[in-house]
Amino acid sequence: MSPDVYKLVHVAGLLMVFMSLGGLALHGINGGTKDSNGARRLTTLTYGIGLLLILLGGFGWLGATGMLSQGVPGWTWAKLAIWLTIGALLAVPAVKPELSRLVWFVAPALGVLAAWLARTKPF
Ligand code: HEM
């Protein structure tokens, strides 16, 4: 498959994850709880599928462009750590709603860092 298709899959996953996280964080900021979230299933499902698409698109891209020939690049490991952190942020607004505002700012900062890592491949 063309690397461009994998990149689109990667970006589709990113959009799904960040949209869901924004919704969950806003719900938490507004004092919402797990039970009062009428779109809980929708957001967690979108989040889960999005996380999967990010991985599929990312590794698909690496494979399709031959970047895995010498093993997983260092910057990819750093992105995997960011991916795990973003994945864990899902629970924060429900478990610790007082940290929702922090999630609102930390998530895009991590996204920018992940984009920078892919762009510059510093290690
Ligand atoms: C939530 C975490 C992540 C975010 C926010 C993110 C974000 C991005 C963005 C915005 C780009 C486009 C950069 C550009 O072309 O200028 C990109 C490219 C890419 N990402 Fe991710 N990414 C994440 C996780 C991952 C993971 C886990 C992998 C693992 C394989 C990965 C692999 C890649 C690859 C291979 C590219 C293309 C690099 C290139 O153009 O050579 N990303 N990512």
Side-chain angles (χ1 to χ4, degrees), residues 57-83:
F59 278 106
W61 171 276
L62 288 175
T65 53
M67 278 195 267
L68 285 179
S69 56
Q70 283 161 17
V72 177
W75 58 272
T76 305
W77 287 110
K79 290 197 74 173
L80 272 172
I82 293 175
W83 179 82

Side-chain angles (χ1 to χ4, degrees), residues 31-120:
T33 64
K34 221 155 78 169
D35 297 328
S36 69
N37 182 0
R40 198 167 124 72
R41 245 181 85 80
L42 179 69
T43 37
T44 48
L45 198 69
T46 306
Y47 208 79
I49 295 173
L51 281 173
L52 257 172
L53 292 183
I54 290 174
L55 264 195
L56 192 77
F59 278 106
W61 171 276
L62 288 175
T65 53
M67 278 195 267
L68 285 179
S69 56
Q70 283 161 17
V72 177
W75 58 272
T76 305
W77 287 110
K79 290 197 74 173
L80 272 172
I82 293 175
W83 179 82
L84 274 176
T85 310
I86 296 267
L89 287 183
L90 164 82
V92 174
V95 178
K96 285 217 173 274
E98 65 275 19
L99 295 183
S100 298
R101 206 173 282 273
L102 188 64
V103 171
W104 186 266
F105 292 103
V106 167
L110 285 175
V112 170
L113 182 61
W116 177 78
L117 283 167
R119 196 86 204 145
T120 61

Side-chain angles (χ1 to χ4, degrees), residues 17-30 37 43 93 104:
V17 161
F18 281 85
M19 200 174 78
S20 310
L21 194 53
L24 287 166
L26 187 67
H27 183 66
I29 290 169
N30 283 330
N37 182 0
T43 37
W104 186 266

